[in-house]
Amino acid sequence: MTAQALDQDNRAGERKWRRRSFWSLTLLIPLALAVEAYDSVKTLLGNNDLFPRRVAWGQSAQFGGSDWKLTDLRGAFGMSNLPPDSVPVLADFQVKIGNPDLQKLWLGCKIVLVDKDGRRWSPTSIVSLKTPDNVGNCISAIFSGARSGDTLNLRETFLVPKEATKSVRPAVSVASERPRFLLFQLEKD
């Protein structure tokens, strides 16, 4: 074999490997992007409330290892020293504890109000209303030491625009159930 024939064989082999490398890159780059995006998508789904599970008025729903029931949703009209056209709204729940590991199951516990347009309101501390001693909130319940079979009374207070009070619905989410969340319906729904 001459030097020229060896040189042509080397170039042909090099072109063949270049083509193989190019085709493998067209497969490996999207695969690498998918692997990198997986954690981001998993985090996005795990931190957001995306899929509602509707609960009728007066019904309870198993969620986060416990049975949640909306017992009252009312406005506290006639209060002074509030922003104009705003109303405090109280959401009361009874929760029968099933699995007592609330620190794990209820991590990131969140109760919000959602209106027909998808707007959300978080609980507020601006409005201070006298709460009975046996009533806590979502976060205090996590550390309450409740045992299986106990019933907890929870209340959250919200400050919402007056025009939204007709369409607000309470929603409950906990980390162990996300991206699903409970969306409670009112009597007339």
Side-chain angles (χ1 to χ4, degrees):
M1 240 187 188
T2 66
Q4 187 177 12
L6 278 174
D7 193 35
Q8 284 179 344
D9 283 345
N10 286 341
R11 282 192 213 144
E14 188 177 318
R15 279 194 299 270
K16 183 167 129 181
W17 279 106
R18 232 185 263 155
R19 269 194 305 266
R20 286 180 183 170
S21 297
F22 173 75
W23 286 111
S24 65
L25 281 176
T26 60
L27 295 173
L28 290 175
I29 289 175
L31 182 62
L33 290 173
V35 167
E36 286 296 317
Y38 174 77
D39 285 337
S40 298
V41 170
K42 185 176 173 186
T43 302
L44 174 71
L45 291 176
N47 291 336
N48 289 305
D49 304 327
L50 301 174
F51 307 111
R53 187 171 137 208
R54 298 184 191 289
V55 182
W57 180 266
Q59 299 296 311
S60 64
Q62 177 74 18
F63 194 71
S66 300
D67 287 322
W68 288 77
K69 182 179 182 179
L70 176 66
T71 56
D72 198 9
L73 181 69
R74 67 188 180 284
F77 294 93
M79 295 185 67
S80 60
N81 299 332
L82 293 176
D85 294 325
S86 63
V87 176
V89 175
L90 305 173
D92 292 328
F93 295 88
Q94 261 189 353
V95 184
K96 184 168 183 178
I97 305 301
N99 185 337
D101 191 4
L102 301 183
Q103 291 182 16
K104 178 181 172 193
L105 295 172
W106 287 19
L107 184 67
C109 180
K110 207 169 43 166
I111 297 176
V112 298
L113 290 183
V114 181
D115 75 352
K116 63 180 169 41
D117 298 326
R119 297 181 298 178
R120 291 174 178 251
W121 289 270
S122 295
T124 184
S125 60
I126 292 174
V127 180
S128 60
L129 300 169
K130 182 136 174 77
T131 304
D133 292 337
N134 67 338
V135 175
N137 61 26
C138 205
I139 302 302
S140 67
I142 293 173
F143 302 102
S144 68
R147 290 176 280 192
S148 187
D150 289 352
T151 299
L152 299 178
N153 295 311
L154 306 181
R155 173 180 287 167
E156 294 291 359
T157 305
F158 304 88
L159 192 60
V160 299
K162 193 172 188 175
E163 101 281 339
T165 57
K166 293 178 179 152
S167 68
V168 291
R169 311 287 183 268
V172 175
S173 69
V174 293
S176 65
E177 296 281 348
R178 284 190 187 107
R180 295 177 309 278
F181 67 99
L182 294 180
L183 182 60
F184 290 88
Q185 304 299 301
L186 298 183
E187 293 178 54
K188 59 186 172 254
D189 292 342

